[in-house]
């Protein structure tokens, strides 16, 4: 059996507090380092982590942002504005344009099927798998880009 003196207990509590404070500071730093898109809209402010975005789909003057957890947010922002904002925010180019109407996070691309003209999106954070249809030419460009990226590693 071990017995702790009052001073030993105080030191233990002090060390425990220091460790907790250190963990909180590290979590805050990681959160600050996470790349976020910030949109000031008419009556709201949106902050979205880039890693949470699976894809952005265009519909005229509107864009639908689809997040890994299934949340879909429609915004009155054109796709090219999203693309410019992502390029300005992101250190590495995680997103690829597929045709004229879709911007996809490369980290979520699971499979490209040129025959079926489909792109399968999945990832460890996602609950479901999503399929996006696109032209064979657009998918071929993405496939070639991803293959080049893999050979560089």
């Amino acid at each position: 059996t071990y017995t702790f003196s009052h001073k030993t207990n105080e030191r233990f509590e002090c060390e425990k507090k220091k460790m907790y404070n250190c963990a909180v500071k590290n979590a805050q730093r990681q959160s600050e380092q996470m790349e976020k898109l910030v949109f000031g809209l008419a009556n709201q402010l949106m902050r979205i982590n880039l890693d949470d975005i699976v894809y952005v789909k265009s519909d005229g003057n509107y864009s639908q942002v689809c997040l890994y957890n299934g949340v879909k947010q429609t915004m009155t922002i054109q796709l090219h504005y999203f693309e410019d904002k992502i390029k300005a925010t992101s250190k590495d180019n995680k997103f690829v344009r597929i045709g004229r109407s879709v911007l996809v996070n490369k980290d979520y691309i699971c499979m490209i099927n040129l025959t079926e003209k489909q792109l399968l999106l999945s990832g460890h954070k996602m609950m479901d798998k999503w399929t996006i249809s696109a032209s064979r030419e657009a998918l071929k460009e993405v496939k070639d880009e991803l293959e080049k990226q893999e050979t560089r590693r």
Side-chain angles (χ1 to χ4, degrees):
T1 29
Y2 294 100
T3 56
F4 290 101
S5 68
H6 181 66
K7 287 184 180 181
T8 306
N9 225 5
E10 282 179 10
R11 268 188 270 148
F12 176 74
E13 287 299 319
C14 183
E15 288 299 316
K16 194 166 110 179
K17 284 180 186 177
K18 283 181 187 177
M19 288 174 59
Y20 173 78
N21 289 337
C22 185
V24 168
K25 285 180 185 177
N26 283 338
Q28 287 172 338
R29 267 191 235 116
Q30 283 180 341
S31 176
E32 289 167 5
Q33 290 172 354
M34 203 173 274
E35 296 170 329
K36 292 184 184 302
L37 289 180
V38 179
F39 296 99
L41 304 171
N43 55 359
Q44 60 181 317
L45 175 78
M46 286 191 64
R47 295 176 63 206
I48 306 170
N49 291 332
L50 278 178
D51 289 338
D52 293 348
I53 300 173
V54 178
Y55 69 92
V56 182
K57 187 175 184 179
S58 170
D59 185 16
N61 289 332
Y62 297 92
S63 292
Q64 185 179 53
V65 181
C66 301
L67 304 179
Y68 75 92
N69 57 4
V71 172
K72 294 182 180 183
Q73 177 72 40
T74 301
M75 303 170 74
T76 55
I77 296 173
Q78 293 179 343
L79 189 63
H80 72 86
Y81 179 74
F82 258 99
E83 191 171 22
D84 294 343
K85 190 98 167 162
I86 287 170
K87 285 178 183 174
T89 305
S90 179
K91 293 177 188 129
D92 54 350
N93 192 12
K94 286 186 174 189
F95 288 80
V96 61
R97 184 88 176 244
I98 299 178
R100 293 174 30 165
S101 62
V102 181
L103 195 58
V104 175
N105 186 334
K106 292 181 211 174
D107 291 341
Y108 290 99
I109 296 175
C110 179
M111 184 177 71
I112 299 172
N113 187 329
L114 297 176
T115 307
E116 299 290 324
K117 300 181 195 172
Q118 291 184 336
L119 180 71
L120 180 66
L121 302 171
S122 181
H124 69 282
K125 293 174 19 173
M126 289 178 63
M127 295 175 208
D128 296 321
K129 293 180 180 180
W130 292 335
T131 304
I132 294 177
S133 297
S135 72
R136 183 176 281 117
E137 295 79 26
L139 292 175
K140 176 86 170 100
E141 286 178 28
V142 174
K143 180 180 175 284
D144 292 344
E145 183 180 331
L146 290 175
E147 285 173 342
K148 282 181 195 173
Q149 185 179 349
E150 288 301 316
T151 56
R152 280 186 241 145
R153 288 183 183 182

